[in-house]
Structures are given as structure tokens and as C-alpha cells.
Amino acid sequence: GENVEQHPSTLSVQEGDSAVIKCTYSDSASNYFPWYKQELGKRPQLIIDIRSNVGEKKDQRIAVTLNKTAKHFSLHITETQPEDSAVYFCAASDPSGTYKYIFGTGTRLKVLA
Amino acid sequence: DAGITQSPRHKVTETGTPVTLRCHQTENHRYMYWYRQDPGHGLRLIHYSYGVKDTDKGEVSDGYSVSRSKTEDFLLTLESATSSQTSVYFCATNQQGSKYGNTIYFGEGSWLTVV
């Protein structure tokens, strides 16, 4: 089945700097890759997603890139702010047609003021 | 928030007792999921459902069972709770699938402690 690896597990950046989180997946047939943000004690919430027919997607300070050949996708946050501090999860759709989603192990992002 | 409510939100139980967590959704989504979240492991799929009475196992299904008798309700049961099942449990839903995946929405989570 699908396997998703996420790096780094923790990331500290200065306010205003950029942050990049990377994920790799194992099954080349996966076609949907969402990113979730989870604040302390809260539920994960979707912040951006990308489908396999697109190479890049942007939403204000957040962007996601997808490299299907290498089977990896990345989350880019520019001009980081303290409120960006949270745990971020990547996920990949299981291509078996069952609409399962396999998550990475998460990245704890700390934005230092 | 996709109208997903979980109950109970917090529970402390003793080893060996049965526990049932309930997920209720108001969006008429076809797919429902139970995940557990543990430090260092992220979100791991326990069981999922693709329709009424249609369920299947996920990555970490041992010790858990599920039932879905109505579209809106998905129950997770720990037959005999163990300390290793102390975790935060999230229910999630997804509408009818398209060619590409659809957004999944999470409930608020249920904190379970097994002592």
C-alpha cells in the first residue's frame, strides 16, 4: 500500500523567513495530495491541496509543488508569521480506489518572533 | 467544519473495559474514517467506511471494530481497551469520490486515556 514520508519532523524559522516541508510517496498512481495544519488541541484543517495533473498551486503565502517523476511534493510558506506555528501534515490518496488517505508523520513548525 | 461531531470528547477508562466512540455527520458524506494520532506517528487510519454497512480495515485495525448502520453515524469500538490505545481519535468524512481525491474533513477529536 501507499507510504508517505515527511521531513523534517521539526522546523524553526525566524519570522519573515520561508519554510519548506517535504514529503515523498511510494505509489506512483496516487493522484491527490492535501496539506493540513493542526494547531495545538485542535483538529487538522486543510490549507492547500494539489492534484496530479498540476505541478504547482499557490494560495497567498502558501504554495505546493509536485514532482511526479520523483514522487515527492513540498509545502512552501513564505513571509512566515507567528500564527503559522503549528503541526503540518501531508497526505496522499491511496490509489486503490477506496478513497483512503495516508498521512505523513507531521512537521512541527515554530516561527520565532 | 463539515458538521462532524464526536462523542465523548474526553474519556478515561480502565484496562480491559469496552469503549465506544461515536462520530456523527450532517453532510451526507459517503465516506467516513477513524484515525488515531500519536506523537511521532502522525495520523494513522484505523478503519474506514464507504457506505452503510460497508467498512474495511486501515493501517492499525487490531483491537478495534467499527459499525455504520446509518449514513450519518460511524462507531468505533475498542473491545477490551489497553494502555497502548491511549490516543487522540479523529473521525473524518469525505463526500462521494471524484476522479481525483476530495477534501477530507476532521471532527474535533476524542481524547481517550486507558489506565
Side-chain angles (χ1 to χ4, degrees):
Chain A
E2 177 66 279
N3 183 53
V4 177
E5 295 189 357
Q6 182 172 349
H7 299 281
S9 57
T10 61
L11 178 61
S12 294
V13 298
Q14 290 294 135
E15 183 178 357
D17 288 349
S18 297
V20 180
I21 303 170
K22 299 180 180 180
C23 289
T24 60
Y25 59 100
S26 60
D27 196 322
S28 58
S30 290
N31 61 13
Y32 176 66
F33 308 92
W35 285 89
Y36 286 79
K37 175 183 180 181
Q38 185 181 30
E39 297 177 347
L40 188 63
K42 302 290 182 63
R43 75 184 84 191
Q45 294 195 302
L46 180 77
I47 55 172
I48 196 167
D49 57 12
I50 191 167
R51 290 172 166 76
S52 60
N53 60 342
V54 175
E56 183 176 4
K57 183 177 179 180
K58 291 182 179 180
D59 183 2
Q60 300 183 340
R61 296 186 297 108
I62 294 173
V64 58
T65 58
L66 172 65
N67 183 327
K68 290 190 293 184
T69 302
K71 292 187 288 186
H72 68 70
F73 55 112
S74 299
L75 178 70
H76 305 255
I77 306 174
T78 59
E79 301 174 10
T80 54
Q81 301 169 3
E83 52 264 38
D84 295 329
S85 295
V87 178
Y88 292 81
F89 292 98
C90 64
S93 59
D94 188 298
S96 64
T98 57
Y99 299 100
K100 293 187 296 185
Y101 297 83
I102 306 302
F103 283 80
T105 51
T107 296
R108 181 173 299 278
L109 174 65
K110 297 180 183 179
V111 180
L112 307 172
Chain B
D1 294 335
I4 304 169
T5 56
Q6 293 184 226
S7 60
R9 294 290 316 283
H10 299 271
K11 185 173 181 65
V12 179
T13 193
E14 294 186 348
T15 299
T17 60
V19 177
T20 295
L21 305 180
R22 178 178 183 247
C23 178
H24 178 78
Q25 57 128 338
T26 59
E27 300 296 318
N28 201 37
H29 285 175
R30 176 180 175 184
Y31 298 88
M32 297 186 75
Y33 313 84
W34 277 107
Y35 286 89
R36 61 177 289 175
Q37 183 174 22
D38 305 287
H41 293 279
L43 294 155
R44 292 182 292 175
L45 182 64
I46 305 171
H47 281 280
Y48 67 101
S49 170
Y50 46 97
V52 173
K53 297 185 179 179
D54 292 324
T55 65
D56 204 352
K57 297 179 179 179
E59 307 165 78
V60 289
S61 59
D62 288 348
Y64 301 95
S65 63
V66 290
S67 66
R68 192 166 177 201
S69 59
K70 298 183 291 185
T71 298
E72 57 266 34
D73 290 326
F74 192 32
L75 304 181
L76 176 70
T77 297
L78 289 65
E79 303 291 346
S80 177
T82 68
S83 58
S84 65
Q85 293 176 312
T86 292
S87 187
V88 182
Y89 292 86
F90 284 98
C91 174
T93 71
N94 180 9
Q95 64 189 53
Q96 179 82 18
S98 66
K99 177 182 178 180
Y100 299 97
N102 286 327
T103 302
I104 61 171
Y105 301 93
F106 286 90
E108 294 177 304
S110 293
W111 276 254
L112 177 67
T113 302
V114 183
V115 297

